[in-house]
Amino acid sequence: MSRMLIQGGRVLDPACGHDGPADVLVEDGRILEVAPGIVARDAERLEAAGCWVAPGFVDLHVHLREPGQEYKEDIASGGRAAVAGGFTAVCCMANTDPVNDDPSVTDYIRDRARQDSPTRVYPVAAATKGLDGQVMSEMVALVQAGAVAFSDDGRTIMDSGMQRRVLEYSRLVERPVMVHAEDRSLVRDGVVNEGPTATRLGLPGNPAAAETVHVARDLLLAELTGAHLHVAHVSTAGAVELIREARSRGVHVTAEVTPHHLTLSDEATLGFDTNTKMAPPLRSREDVEACRQGLADGTLDAIATDHAPHAVHEKEVEFTTAPPGVIGLETAFAVVMELVRSGCLRPMQLIAALSSNPVQVARLPGGLLKRGEPADVVVLDPERSWTYDPLKGYSKSRNSPWAGRELVGRVVATVVGGDLVYHVDRGALLP
Ligand SMILES: [Zn+2]
């Protein structure tokens, strides 16, 4: 019997509505008790004085790059980056090589994760074969192999009839369809948000309408089919408003937003830093504010990193040719803590957006600190400041807009299934 006592912290557990001082006793991988002043002399102790103790974070949107692009990231390195960021589970996107459109690939990812990753890994399977938007993937077989959702992320299903069929079939397997909503015919060769910043940079613009057009279409198709639509990485005020309105009339829609779209506007791109190039692009200040408001009022459910590792040689090129995307697992908590300090979110709302809400979106186990639940727990120091150096991080890649920045808020310890897998003073510990 193994026991751990997480002692002296402030427990923030949105699903149980619990905010207050308490100890957490873990036994054999599960939560045994949450209460103040627990005495357990035989237990391993994890000090949490001055810290928040919360359900482990769950990231709905990461790119682990394995199989096929292990020079950018693999399941082991991405898993270590995840636990260093407080994530006890991640959902990995299907745009690997080969694409995760076949149960053999889903099996491979799960096997590798079991052996090599300290975080739990839930594969998201492709909605269409080869992500080409032409032939639907075999959803039943993929779910049987362990897929938790469907997405052609990185691409958008442009054919509305195909999107309708994907949504219809997703109902049979009761799994969400996660959409990367960007109309390719509107994006064209746009690499930054269309507007004054693009003009100043002399770079081709990607209009906000490229996103809102597809969010509008997909909300209508979700309404038509009754399926669960999940909008990935919302970046525009228009999309937030459309989602808010659709929810109010009962459409089954959930949505996520990234730390970068919550905190950086397109002005961050004025220095031509390719680590500010994403898809969708960083948007206007008004869009950033709308995303923050959407998270605060519950229109957007989850914060997801869209962790997208790329090698140095790929990013150190002209802005127009660099691949879009940034890493984000190890900085997410510190970056979004700014929303609490600025009064946009209460601590409990922030924790919900990182843990219990994403668990509900993807229908995963856990997400709460209740007796009998898996002991996936994170200990956080909301005040601790640190300077982020990607070279000292666990991701194989370094493409972060926060490199060299001083951040406030630090993950102190991460526990997965009762095992201490990361401690800020000891590093990643398992496997
Ligand atoms: Zn995407």
Side-chain angles (χ1 to χ4, degrees), residues 61 153-154 180 233 279 306:
H61 194 140
D153 183 58
H180 175 126
H233 43 54
D306 195 5

Side-chain angles (χ1 to χ4, degrees), residues 154-230:
R155 307 224 196 137
T156 306
I157 297 175
M158 293 293 291
D159 184 305
S160 302
M162 174 56 70
Q163 179 74 335
R164 175 189 181 168
R165 250 172 300 151
V166 164
L167 287 163
E168 277 170 348
Y169 275 84
S170 74
R171 289 193 64 190
L172 298 178
V173 289
E174 298 181 317
R175 288 286 157 188
V177 175
M178 299 175 162
V179 291
H180 175 126
E182 275 196 309
D183 188 303
R184 285 204 294 272
S185 65
L186 287 168
V187 173
R188 297 174 66 94
D189 55 356
V191 289
V192 287
N193 184 45
E194 185 175 294
T197 300
T199 308
R200 281 176 69 187
L201 290 166
L203 291 172
N206 169 342
E211 174 169 292
T212 49
V213 160
H214 266 261
V215 170
R217 180 199 73 170
D218 288 349
L219 288 167
L220 292 170
L221 293 176
E223 188 166 29
L224 176 68
T225 58
H228 176 183
L229 175 76
H230 178 77

Side-chain angles (χ1 to χ4, degrees), residues 112-126:
R112 296 284 295 143
R114 267 192 292 270
Q115 290 165 30
D116 284 348
S117 168
T119 195
R120 300 179 199 272
V121 175
Y122 294 104
V124 175

